[in-house]
Amino acid sequence: MKKIGLTGGIGSGKTYVSSILKAMGFPVFSSDESAKSLMQYDPEIKKELIKIFGPTVYINGELNSAFLADEIFSDDTLRAQINALIHPAVRRDFDQWAKKQKQLLVFNEAAILCETGAYVELDACILVSAPDEIKINRIMERNSCSRADAEARMAAQWSDVEKRKCCDYEIMNSVDRPLLIQVEQILDSLLKN
């Protein structure tokens, strides 16, 4: 079994590419979903989040995701603290999940595989990229936020240029590049090598 990373900045369309892979029968682990679940249900992580952010991070026992996102996207130090707390737990979760899979390829979708160094534990890594203007429009539409907020969220992550350095393949998610053909070519390469 090969463990393949699927990464890309906010608004790049990596979740859409994940849905294509799932439709093709490949198992895809969502690091974002794992992180959300851990922050909601893991007692040690909850305790640490309350210590860092105060009780406002949970409302009636539910994670206050909007508050948390605003805090970490506006403060590099807080973002680093959260990454150090959450990402080792997400990696363990992925490893346990991967052991249960039977397919030749399994995918780990994670926005910050490169930034956390997790990509080195994988057999290959795919970058999903898109032109900045497309990403900004997607973020504004999905998050119902302003252009300034979308740009700030993009700026808080590594650029596609930086991510390319740790990725073996790239899928350009723009209107002039058919996604399915790119996905099939990469899958063919991964299954052959």
Side-chain angles (χ1 to χ4, degrees):
M1 171 196 304
K2 289 183 185 175
K3 297 176 183 176
I4 312 300
L6 184 67
T7 193
I10 187 169
S12 65
K14 65 189 167 302
T15 302
Y16 184 68
V17 172
S18 287
S19 71
I20 292 171
L21 291 167
K22 286 178 188 175
M24 295 172 91
F26 293 98
V28 180
F29 177 88
S30 170
S31 290
D32 281 353
E33 291 304 314
S34 172
K36 286 175 190 169
S37 178
L38 289 164
M39 288 187 285
Q40 183 62 50
Y41 301 110
D42 185 289
E44 289 302 311
I45 289 175
K46 286 178 83 167
K47 189 168 77 177
E48 286 299 311
L49 287 175
I50 291 168
K51 192 188 306 183
I52 295 167
F53 295 100
T56 312
V57 76
Y58 291 93
I59 296 175
N60 299 323
E62 295 292 317
L63 182 67
N64 186 349
S65 299
F67 167 79
L68 186 61
D70 287 345
E71 291 292 306
I72 63 175
F73 277 113
S74 63
D75 187 320
D76 292 343
T77 304
L78 284 176
R79 189 167 51 256
Q81 277 185 282
I82 293 301
N83 287 344
L85 173 67
I86 303 297
H87 291 288
V90 171
R91 276 188 215 157
R92 286 190 298 274
D93 201 17
F94 169 71
D95 288 338
Q96 290 169 357
W97 172 87
K99 286 176 186 171
K100 298 174 189 170
Q101 306 308 311
K102 305 289 184 231
Q103 287 80 348
L104 293 174
L105 301 175
V106 297
F107 293 86
N108 181 353
E109 177 196 340
I112 56 175
L113 275 177
C114 297
E115 293 90 325
T116 62
Y119 73 96
V120 300
E121 298 172 17
L122 302 167
D123 296 296
C125 195
I126 302 167
L127 171 64
V128 180
S129 62
D132 285 351
E133 197 57 36
I134 289 175
K135 286 195 252 186
I136 289 167
N137 289 330
R138 287 177 183 157
I139 298 165
M140 287 169 35
E141 184 176 318
R142 184 186 68 198
N143 295 26
S144 299
C145 67
S146 69
R147 183 178 186 88
D149 285 343
E151 289 173 345
R153 289 184 180 209
M154 280 177 56
Q157 295 181 343
W158 281 13
S159 69
D160 289 344
V161 171
E162 291 170 299
K163 287 178 186 281
R164 276 186 193 106
K165 295 173 188 170
C166 69
C167 292
D168 306 284
Y169 300 93
E170 183 171 0
I171 294 171
M172 174 53 82
N173 185 8
S174 63
V175 291
D176 59 338
R177 302 279 302 274
L179 271 182
L180 192 55
I181 291 170
Q182 295 178 75
V183 170
E184 288 173 338
Q185 288 170 342
I186 291 171
L187 288 171
D188 188 49
S189 174
L190 289 168
L191 290 166
K192 280 182 182 170
N193 297 327

